[in-house]
Amino acid sequence: MSERTDVLIGRKPVMNYVLACITLFHGGASEVNVKARGRAISRAVDVVEVCRRRFLPDVKVRNVDIGTEQLAPFEEGGSPTNVSTIEITIAK
Amino acid sequence: MSERTDVLIGRKPVMNYVLACITLFHGGASEVNVKARGRAISRAVDVVEVCRRRFLPDVKVRNVDIGTEQLAPFEEGGSPTNVSTIEITIAK
């Protein structure tokens, strides 16, 4: 298994992603990147907080990056949309 | 005016908070803390991204902190709620 792994946050319940992070750490990952875009950003923060406060007390937030991604226009001739992103790196 | 100032993100449109940040920097602040809780976290990231990409290109993200706040129970005898928080420090 890779030493560095991503968990992409979507619209599922927070606990699904918490479980994904726990599984990765238990499988040997030393670092997990929790990534989200747009409205899912607040859920990404929830996932990290639940992980480290309730299940993995030895896990620390190593880095938080925020940014912008440009999405291709929905229809031809439309203008591209900007969406905010977050990447939270947690590590044992 | 204080050198370090907070902008608390609520439910208003993103541009309202962007304008608040711009006003603070133009008024002499060297650092602005953009703070949010719960669902407003993704809006806080939007505010910072719009500020630095569109209006204040010399402003950098200095630090991002995430955490949890415990809110008092809604009704007597209820259990306290946890809410995620973010604090993004931007500076010239």
Side-chain angles (χ1 to χ4, degrees), chain B residues 18 21 46-57 90:
Chain B
V18 169
C21 293
D46 290 344
V47 168
V48 169
E49 287 298 302
V50 171
C51 272
R52 68 187 188 98
R53 294 195 165 251
R54 211 185 315 168
F55 298 105
L56 303 163
I90 51 177

Side-chain angles (χ1 to χ4, degrees), chain A residues 23-63:
Chain A
T23 308
L24 286 169
F25 278 120
H26 284 180
S30 60
E31 211 170 289
V32 173
N33 290 312
V34 178
K35 293 180 175 186
R37 296 199 299 200
R39 296 297 130 225
I41 287 177
S42 40
R43 186 166 300 139
V45 176
D46 290 343
V47 168
V48 169
E49 287 297 303
V50 171
C51 272
R52 69 187 189 97
R53 294 196 165 248
R54 210 181 322 163
F55 298 104
L56 302 164
D58 50 337
V59 159
K60 308 274 177 235
V61 176
R62 180 164 295 169
N63 191 46

